[in-house]
Amino acid sequence: MGKRLKSAAALLLALVLCLGLGANAFAYDAAEAGSLADALNTLGLFKGTDSGYDLDSELTRAQALVLLVRLIGQEVEALYGEERSHPFTDIPQWVNGYVGYGYENGLAAGVTPTEFQPDERASAQVFVTFVLRALGYKDSADGTVWDNWKTLAESAGILPDGVNTDKFLRGDAVVICYAALDAKVQGGEGTLADKLLADGAFNSLALATARALAGNEVTAQSSLIDIMGAVYAGVDTMEPSRLHVAEITEENLSFYFGAENIPFVEGIACEPMMTAQAHSVGLLRVKDGTDIEKTKADIRENVNPRKWICVGVSPSNIRVESIGNLILLVMDNSAPDELARNFRALDSSLATPDAKGMIKIGETYMEAGETVDQQSVSRLARVMENLRATYFADSDVYYAIVPDKTYYARELTADYINHSAIVEQLSYELLDWKTADLTGLLTLDDYYVTDPHWRQEELLPVAEELGKLMGFTVNRASFTTQSREGFVGTYRQKLANLPGETVRWLTSSATEAAVVDNFSNQAFKEVYDVARLDTDIAYDLFLSGATPLTVIENPNAAAKRELVIFRDSYASSLAPLLIENYSKITMVDLRYMHSSLLPEYVDFTDADVLFLYSDRLANDSLLLKADVPANDQLNMVG
C-alpha cells in the first residue's frame, strides 16, 4: 500500500471511530446526531449495525477497531496484507490483524505498554485522542495528547456543545467525527475534509451531499456541486461516491441534455462510474434572458433516455425542473420524483408542509404529497390485469386515475404527487386498456378547501369524458343543485378552527328513484345521506361513506345496462352522476373486501368494468386486498 493510501486510511480510521459508553440518556441532540450519522455514512466514514446506527449503544475497544477497519474498506488489508506486529499480549486471534493495522498507523494505542484491553469500553478520552492524532497532533514538551485531550479538542473545534464526555455514546462520537471534518490538519493548510477529498477518500459530490444532509443551507444561488449534493441528499438508490461528475461543455451538451444551442453559463452532470443501471442527472445554469420553458421543452423532446443502448430509462421517469435560471434534468427509474423534489425544495418561494404534514396555499389546505412509488403503481397494474383475466376477461374494461389535489398546486409547492408520472407508467403497463385522462378537466378550485376530495358539482366534465370513452351521454339539464353551508372536511382531524365552506350535491330523477344497497349500512337506501354532514367525515354525504360493496339499482333505466366500478372514496361523488345511464351500478372497494370474494357478490356478465382510483391509492396499492402473481410482485419499470 502506498504512502498516500496509508495516510488517507489513517485519517479515515480515526475519523470513523464511533465508540460507545454510558447510559440510555444522552446529552447530544438525537435528531442532529442522526443527520450527522447520515452525512458520515454518505462519505463512507460511518455505518451502523443490523439495528441501525445504534447511536445510544456501547462498543468494546476491539469491536470499535474492527468496525473502523471495515468502514474504511481496509479489512482485507488488515487480515491478509503484510504481517504487522504489536506489543499487546491480550489480543484474541480474531482481532489480531485489526489491532496490528491500527497500531502500525499510530491509531491503536494500548492502555498499558502490553495491554490493549479489547473487551473494555472506550472512553471519550480514547476516542478524542485518536481523532487528534489523525489531525496531526503530537506529544510535546507541554504534555501528551492523551493528557491534554480536552484542551486540544476544544482548541481544534472538535468538541461541540452537547457532547457528553462522561457518558460517551456513539452519538457523541458522531458529533465529534463531523466536527473533525472542518478541523485544520496540523502541519498543513487545509481541513481534514480537504485532506480526505484530496486523498480520494470520497468525491466532491459525496461531500456536498453529506453537507446537505448535515443541514448546511443550500439555495439556488449556491455552487452547482452544492445544489447537486442537495438533490441527492437522502436518496438511497444512488451512492454519490459512485457517481462521476462531468463538467458540461459545448461538445458534450447534447449527450447529457439532448438539446443543442442552450445558452448556458455552467453545468454539471452525474452518471454512474460502474454499473449497468441507467441514470443521469444534469444541472445547468443558463444565461439571463433565456426562455426557460422553451428550453425545458426542447430538453424533454430531444433527450435520449436510451442513450446507453443496452439499458434505458422509461420516458415516464424523466423529469425537467427549473428554479430561476437553473434547469435540472433527471433520468432515473428508481427515484425520479425524489430527486426532482429535492431540487424544487430549494425554491424558497414554494409552500412547505407544517409539522403535521399540511400545506396551506391561499385559502386552500392540502396534505403534503408523496414521491411516486413505482413498485406500487406497477402492482396496481398487475392487480388490474389479474382481476380482468380471472373474473371478467370478456368485459369492456376502462380505467381513470383521479389527480391528487396537490398536483394542481405543483407550481406552488415541491410536495405534490406527480400525477403525470403515475398516468404515464400505467399507460406503459396497461397498453391495451382504454383510459380517460382527467388531468385537464380539473383545477385546484374543483377540490374542497378543507378536504382532499373533488367537488361533485364540478364533475360533470369528468362524467362526460367517461361517457365519450364508455358510450353514454350525460344530460346536464337533468340535475338540480342542492347545498348546505358549514361543511368541514377530514382535515379537521389535523387542523383546528378550519373555516366552513359550502357543500353542493346534484340530484336528478334518477338519483331520487335509485335504491342503494350499502353493505355497511343496510338501513339507508338513498344516494345522499344528508345526516352524515353532521359527522366528522362530512364527505360521507355521498353514498354513506366507506364500505366494501355498494349496489345502486335504477328502476327507471331506459335499458338493461350494468357497470362495475372498482373504486376508492372519490367514486362516491362521481357514481351518482352516472346512474341515469345504467340499470345497475356495483361499486367494489378492495381496501375492505378481498378479491377472492368477488364471485360471491358480483356478476360481471355483460357489465362494463371501470377502475377509478386516486393517485394516493395508486401510490399505496398494497391497501388493495387482491392477489398478484408472485413474479409480478417484484415487477418494476425499467
Side-chain angles (χ1 to χ4, degrees):
M1 178 170 58
K3 291 182 179 179
R4 184 173 179 178
L5 182 56
K6 278 190 175 182
S7 173
L11 290 168
L12 280 165
L13 185 57
L15 181 61
V16 297
L17 182 59
C18 296
L19 312 178
L21 178 68
N24 289 331
F26 39 84
Y28 60 83
D29 182 272
E32 178 188 9
S35 296
L36 298 183
D38 286 337
L40 294 172
N41 180 267
T42 296
L43 296 173
L45 306 181
F46 176 70
K47 296 181 182 178
T49 68
D50 291 340
S51 57
Y53 289 141
D54 285 343
L55 298 183
D56 58 347
S57 71
E58 304 169 352
L59 285 178
T60 66
R61 288 165 54 86
Q63 290 170 341
L65 186 58
V66 171
L67 174 61
L68 297 175
V69 173
R70 287 175 177 168
L71 290 176
I72 63 172
Q74 295 300 314
E75 184 172 33
V76 173
E77 177 67 25
L79 294 178
Y80 307 110
E82 62 186 68
E83 186 175 351
R84 297 176 174 86
S85 62
H86 59 76
F88 310 121
T89 60
D90 58 348
I91 302 299
Q93 183 60 37
W94 70 272
V95 78
N96 190 64
Y98 300 98
V99 175
Y101 180 88
Y103 181 77
E104 183 182 281
N105 284 277
L107 300 170
V111 176
T112 73
T114 60
E115 292 183 341
F116 186 75
Q117 296 186 2
D119 295 326
E120 292 298 313
R121 296 168 181 169
S123 66
Q125 185 176 13
V126 169
F127 178 78
V128 173
T129 299
F130 282 172
V131 174
L132 287 168
R133 285 174 177 162
L135 291 170
Y137 286 85
K138 302 181 185 301
D139 297 341
S140 68
D142 296 327
T144 65
V145 175
W146 173 263
D147 291 333
N148 296 322
W149 68 277
K150 186 172 286 189
T151 301
L152 292 173
E154 291 173 347
S155 175
I158 64 170
L159 204 60
D161 293 340
V163 172
N164 190 332
T165 58
D166 295 323
K167 297 180 179 180
F168 192 70
L169 302 174
R170 286 169 63 97
D172 295 302
V174 162
V175 174
I176 292 173
C177 285
Y178 190 80
L181 286 174
D182 294 318
K184 289 291 183 67
V185 176
Q186 296 297 294
E189 296 182 356
T191 64
L192 180 58
D194 296 333
K195 176 66 175 173
L196 294 171
L197 184 63
D199 286 348
F202 44 73
N203 62 18
S204 59
L205 178 62
L207 182 58
T209 303
R211 296 297 196 192
L213 287 168
N216 282 28
E217 183 181 7
V218 180
T219 71
Q221 287 69 49
S222 298
S223 68
L224 294 190
I225 193 64
D226 285 343
I227 293 172
M228 193 67 87
V231 168
Y232 280 100
V235 180
D236 296 332
T237 57
M238 270 293 162
E239 295 182 43
S241 60
R242 296 182 178 275
L243 296 175
H244 171 67
V245 182
E247 181 182 355
I248 301 301
T249 66
E250 295 291 348
E251 289 71 26
N252 64 21
L253 175 64
S254 62
F255 174 79
Y256 288 108
F257 288 88
E260 298 180 348
N261 302 319
I262 299 175
F264 70 97
V265 177
E266 57 179 340
I268 56 176
C270 300
E271 296 196 356
M273 289 190 287
M274 187 177 179
T275 182
Q277 179 179 350
H279 172 88
S280 184
V281 177
L283 181 63
L284 285 178
R285 197 186 305 274
V286 299
K287 294 181 179 179
D288 292 341
T290 300
D291 187 331
I292 300 295
E293 293 306 316
K294 180 180 183 302
T295 302
K296 289 164 62 178
D298 288 344
I299 291 172
R300 287 193 192 96
E301 182 178 349
N302 293 289
V303 71
N304 181 6
R306 296 200 62 85
K307 65 181 183 179
W308 301 275
I309 308 301
C310 294
V311 296
V313 172
S314 167
S316 65
N317 292 327
I318 298 173
R319 306 285 182 269
V320 184
E321 302 284 353
S322 63
I323 303 174
N325 65 345
L326 288 173
I327 297 177
L328 179 82
L329 168 64
V330 175
M331 293 196 294
D332 178 74
N333 285 323
S334 300
D337 282 314
E338 194 170 357
L339 292 161
R341 176 176 291 183
N342 283 350
F343 174 73
R344 285 173 56 82
L346 302 179
D347 188 343
S348 59
S349 69
L350 298 180
T352 56
D354 64 15
K356 296 181 179 179
M358 298 299 297
I359 300 171
K360 185 179 181 183
I361 294 178
E363 298 302 316
T364 297
Y365 300 86
M366 62 192 71
E367 292 176 281
E370 311 149 345
T371 57
V372 174
D373 183 339
Q374 296 177 60
Q375 187 169 0
S376 175
V377 177
S378 184
R379 182 183 184 275
L380 174 61
R382 304 284 70 75
V383 166
M384 293 166 63
E385 288 278 23
N386 195 50
L387 289 172
R388 178 173 73 164
T390 305
Y391 301 112
F392 42 89
D394 297 327
S395 297
D396 291 327
V397 293
Y398 312 90
Y399 77 91
I401 303 299
V402 180
D404 190 71
K405 184 178 182 179
T406 59
Y407 182 72
Y408 295 103
R410 63 190 181 279
E411 298 303 324
L412 302 172
T413 179
D415 295 275
Y416 69 94
I417 296 182
N418 194 331
H419 172 73
S420 295
I422 292 174
V423 169
E424 287 179 23
Q425 183 176 340
L426 286 174
S427 67
Y428 176 79
E429 299 207 25
L430 301 171
L431 292 174
D432 63 335
W433 286 58
K434 299 175 183 177
T435 184
D437 185 358
L438 309 183
T439 312
L441 304 177
L442 300 162
T443 68
L444 185 58
D445 291 336
D446 296 331
Y447 294 75
Y448 294 108
V449 170
T450 61
D451 194 90
H453 293 98
W454 50 11
R455 298 175 179 272
Q456 189 195 51
E457 71 272 21
E458 304 297 340
L459 298 186
L460 289 173
V462 172
E464 290 169 340
E465 187 69 18
L466 290 173
K468 294 177 185 177
L469 180 71
M470 301 168 65
F472 62 79
T473 58
V474 176
N475 180 10
R476 291 194 178 210
S478 67
F479 292 100
T480 300
T481 301
Q482 313 295 329
S483 67
R484 179 167 160 178
E485 301 299 321
F487 173 89
V488 180
T490 56
Y491 295 156
R492 71 197 307 169
Q493 299 170 9
K494 290 189 174 184
L495 300 173
N497 302 317
L498 287 175
E501 54 184 311
T502 303
V503 61
R504 298 180 176 86
W505 61 100
L506 304 181
T507 60
S508 66
S509 59
T511 64
E512 294 295 325
V515 178
V516 178
D517 184 2
N518 184 315
F519 185 87
S520 300
N521 187 6
Q522 294 287 322
F524 194 82
K525 300 296 183 181
E526 298 179 25
V527 171
Y528 297 109
D529 193 347
V530 179
R532 296 294 185 108
L533 288 174
D534 298 319
T535 68
D536 287 341
I537 308 179
Y539 182 75
D540 285 356
L541 159 72
F542 303 101
L543 296 174
S544 299
T547 181
L549 192 69
T550 302
V551 178
I552 306 171
E553 301 273 4
N554 177 8
N556 298 330
K560 184 178 184 301
R561 185 179 183 185
E562 298 188 8
L563 171 65
V564 177
I565 303 177
F566 288 90
R567 58 91 164 218
D568 58 18
S569 56
Y570 286 80
S572 295
S573 52
L574 178 66
L577 308 184
L578 310 182
I579 293 175
E580 64 182 359
N581 294 285
Y582 289 94
S583 58
K584 179 180 179 182
I585 298 177
T586 302
M587 303 175 68
V588 179
D589 196 331
L590 294 180
R591 294 175 299 172
Y592 313 119
M593 171 183 177
H594 197 279
S595 61
S596 62
L597 298 176
L598 288 172
E600 299 180 36
Y601 293 94
V602 183
D603 183 3
F604 292 98
T605 305
D606 297 326
D608 295 336
V609 178
L610 170 66
F611 287 81
L612 185 71
Y613 285 132
S614 64
D615 280 338
R616 290 188 187 254
L617 189 285
N619 216 35
D620 194 9
S621 63
L622 285 173
L623 290 172
L624 299 177
K625 303 179 189 297
D627 294 324
V628 182
N631 63 328
D632 284 331
Q633 290 179 357
L634 300 178
N635 183 48
M636 291 189 68
V637 172

